[in-house]
Amino acid sequence: MLKILIRSKSGRIIEELSPLIMRFLSSEDAPADSLYARFERRGKTADFFSCSAELDGDALFCGIIDELTEYTGETGSYLEIRARTIEALLLDNEAKPQSYCLPSFDLIFEKHFRPLGFSSFIGPANAFNGELNITKGMSEWKVLEEFCRSFTGTKPCVTNDGVIDISGDNSPQIIHIGKSRIISVERKLKKSMIVSDIYVRTCNSGGYDLHLSSDYAEKLGTKRVRYYNAVGSRKISFDEITQMLKKAADKAGSLTLECTGAVRAKAGDIVIPEGETDRFYVREICITAGENGIRTKITAGVKMNVA
């Protein structure tokens, strides 16, 4: 059974509703997951602050309500809510422009994230060599991303109870999907996105002396060359160039899978449909509930070997 729990700002459950329509979306392009739901017309909504979605007792979503719509007309009366997970607080708040020398995440957390309601963090608290520069217009989410990119090399994530995790220890789920659940499968290969060669200029006196090529592109017969000028910036390693080639190849191959029921996955998880030999990483997952019951649509990328 699918139900939506509506809470007040204090966390108290105000109402328990069964949606007429629901759509849950998790995408690698959006740090915050989102939920849309429509219900039969209810009473007062002034105290509606946050909501969670549960399916057969398991949590599917937990977030802050962004928008409430109450409608009455020829087609009837209904209430709509739109909500996002707690990362929305980081996306919607602009950071104060300033610079930190030898920054620690302990300091950054206390200055930027605790005031927004985040409870604690997981990861190193020591100071790092270098500077963290926050410029006008940066969101608090961008501050978090920039700290991780510059000092820890990890991808940040946030739990439902407001804990920011920068440890990099979050392993993706591996989810197997049986044939009996699969409604449709579509596979695509956009060869135009594959990069075959990258050349990098690493010194003022030389040309583009650093080169790496993709065996995968050669196998497909595609030729697309890219040049990067690293002069004046830190030296680019072969590992970083390899990652550029792999990311281009990963975006080229995709799978779209529609199946019955709810697949409890998020962007970055691994799905393995029965009968497939490849492992697919989730780019986007959309769970819907309506006249056709509950269905899940997964858009996934294919891990390519470019070495």
Side-chain angles (χ1 to χ4, degrees):
M1 180 181 176
L2 176 64
K3 61 182 179 181
I4 309 290
L5 303 177
I6 307 293
R7 291 180 169 83
S8 66
K9 189 175 180 180
S10 66
R12 179 176 62 88
I13 296 176
I14 300 172
E15 294 203 43
E16 182 179 311
L17 307 174
S18 297
L20 301 171
I21 301 170
M22 187 214 69
R23 182 176 66 250
F24 164 80
L25 183 66
S26 176
S27 172
E28 65 177 357
D29 295 327
D33 297 341
S34 63
L35 180 82
Y36 162 81
R38 176 184 287 188
F39 315 92
E40 292 180 354
R41 177 72 172 85
R42 309 295 291 189
K44 294 181 179 179
T45 61
D47 293 335
F48 285 18
F49 179 77
S50 64
C51 67
S52 59
E54 294 183 359
L55 180 60
D56 298 330
D58 293 332
L60 181 65
F61 172 89
C62 182
I64 302 164
I65 295 174
D66 283 328
E67 186 178 316
L68 288 162
T69 301
E70 298 177 80
Y71 174 85
T72 301
E74 292 180 346
T75 57
S77 299
Y78 59 81
L79 167 68
E80 289 181 339
I81 64 168
R82 297 179 188 273
R84 288 177 296 165
T85 49
I86 196 170
E87 290 92 337
L89 293 174
L90 298 172
L91 291 166
D92 294 350
N93 281 277
E94 184 177 340
K96 179 183 177 180
Q98 57 192 300
S99 294
Y100 293 95
C101 185
L102 303 177
S104 69
F105 195 72
D106 189 28
L107 174 63
I108 301 300
F109 181 85
E110 293 299 327
K111 291 281 191 178
H112 291 264
F113 308 135
R114 190 181 294 281
L116 294 176
F118 293 88
S119 57
S120 61
F121 71 90
I122 301 170
N126 58 286
F128 290 88
N129 289 324
E131 287 189 8
L132 178 66
N133 295 310
I134 301 172
T135 58
K136 177 70 176 73
M138 283 179 66
S139 68
E140 295 289 12
W141 175 260
K142 187 64 179 177
V143 172
L144 176 59
E145 274 192 324
E146 186 63 22
F147 184 94
C148 292
R149 185 194 69 80
S150 300
F151 302 110
T152 63
T154 58
K155 183 178 180 181
C157 66
V158 184
T159 65
N160 287 338
D161 54 355
V163 177
I164 298 176
D165 189 346
I166 63 167
S167 66
D169 294 334
N170 300 286
S171 300
Q173 293 186 80
I174 298 178
I175 300 159
H176 296 267
I177 301 176
K179 281 185 178 180
S180 62
R181 296 186 60 187
I182 296 173
I183 299 170
S184 65
V185 179
E186 177 184 270
R187 298 189 73 157
K188 263 183 193 177
L189 178 60
K190 295 182 180 179
K191 297 172 70 174
S192 60
M193 298 186 71
I194 298 171
V195 176
S196 61
D197 299 87
I198 292 179
Y199 294 87
V200 184
R201 184 185 179 201
T202 61
C203 59
N204 283 313
S205 59
Y208 288 83
D209 54 320
L210 193 58
H211 171 235
L212 202 64
S213 61
S214 167
D215 288 348
Y216 179 67
E218 184 178 355
K219 179 182 176 181
L220 293 177
T222 63
K223 189 71 174 178
R224 285 171 183 83
V225 179
R226 298 290 182 267
Y227 291 87
Y228 292 91
N229 186 357
V231 175
S233 63
R234 63 186 178 84
K235 189 175 179 64
I236 296 178
S237 67
F238 271 98
D239 182 63
E240 288 174 295
I241 299 172
T242 300
Q243 290 304 313
M244 292 179 191
L245 291 171
K246 284 184 177 179
K247 285 179 181 178
D250 288 348
K251 288 184 178 180
S254 67
L255 173 139
T256 301
L257 177 72
E258 188 174 4
C259 55
T260 59
V263 177
R264 294 176 180 86
K266 297 189 73 173
D269 287 341
I270 304 296
V271 293
I272 306 176
E274 186 179 349
E276 293 281 352
T277 56
D278 290 325
R279 292 156 62 96
F280 303 92
Y281 72 96
V282 177
R283 291 179 184 160
E284 182 176 284
I285 183 163
C286 182
I287 300 175
T288 57
E291 292 181 356
N292 294 323
I294 297 173
R295 293 190 173 188
T296 302
K297 184 178 181 180
I298 298 171
T299 302
V302 188
K303 289 294 184 184
M304 302 293 186
N305 180 16
V306 303

